[in-house]
Amino acid sequence: MHQAIRIIHDEHRSISAILSGLKSLVQMAQDPGLRPEFGVFRAMIYYIDAFPERMHHPKEDEHLFARLLQRNPATRALVDGLQAEHVMGRELVRDLEQALLQFELQFEQTWPKGLEKFTAAVDAYAQFHWQ
């Protein structure tokens, strides 16, 4: 495997690892006897937001996608679709952030209702990423 592709592949694996951990913590938060670690949730979502947007997606956009188009202009529709996925991913991260904020602010009054919305947002992002 070419070094550049290996780096991008490893970065996808890192994001997937964070998502797996996030999903595990959401599962643990189902227990009414445990108080969720909101700081950990925030840190994981920050990573999901900051790493792809600042480091990973620019590599794909500037290097991988550009070279793909240079080698084969017929891949334009594929590249456009992948770039649209980057936009959709940002929207889903905003949904994650909003659902976590709502869950945390209303935790004492609405548990597990806020958790249900946060869980759905985590599941939606994870499914999107893994597809």
Side-chain angles (χ1 to χ4, degrees):
M1 183 182 304
H2 191 273
Q3 181 66 18
I5 299 298
R6 186 183 336 268
I7 290 168
I8 289 172
H9 182 261
D10 289 347
E11 289 174 356
H12 276 247
R13 287 181 42 210
S14 295
I15 296 165
S16 291
I18 294 294
L19 279 173
S20 292
L22 183 60
K23 286 184 66 71
S24 292
L25 287 177
V26 166
Q27 187 65 34
M28 290 171 56
Q30 306 285 332
D31 184 341
L34 297 175
R35 180 169 180 84
E37 293 290 335
F38 290 106
V40 176
F41 282 137
R42 283 191 302 274
M44 294 174 104
I45 292 171
Y46 175 80
Y47 175 87
I48 290 168
D49 183 34
F51 178 75
E53 295 309 314
R54 294 183 192 162
M55 297 187 69
H56 178 72
H57 291 164
K59 287 177 193 171
E60 289 181 334
D61 292 336
E62 295 168 20
H63 302 289
L64 179 63
F65 298 164
R67 289 215 173 114
L68 186 59
L69 287 170
Q70 188 177 37
R71 283 186 135 180
N72 186 353
T75 62
R76 170 55 67 192
L78 171 66
V79 169
D80 288 348
L82 293 169
Q83 289 174 327
E85 286 180 8
H86 289 175
V87 172
M88 179 63 160
R90 284 193 297 270
E91 292 172 8
L92 289 170
V93 170
R94 297 294 87 76
D95 292 346
L96 270 175
E97 291 169 336
Q98 291 299 313
L100 177 59
L101 180 61
Q102 186 176 21
F103 176 35
E104 186 172 7
L105 291 175
Q106 299 177 349
F107 175 73
E108 301 298 334
Q109 295 85 20
T110 64
W111 189 93
K113 186 176 181 182
L115 176 60
E116 292 170 2
K117 185 175 180 181
F118 181 57
T119 299
V122 169
D123 289 344
Y125 185 84
Q127 182 177 13
F128 167 80
H129 174 77
W130 289 326
Q131 284 180 345

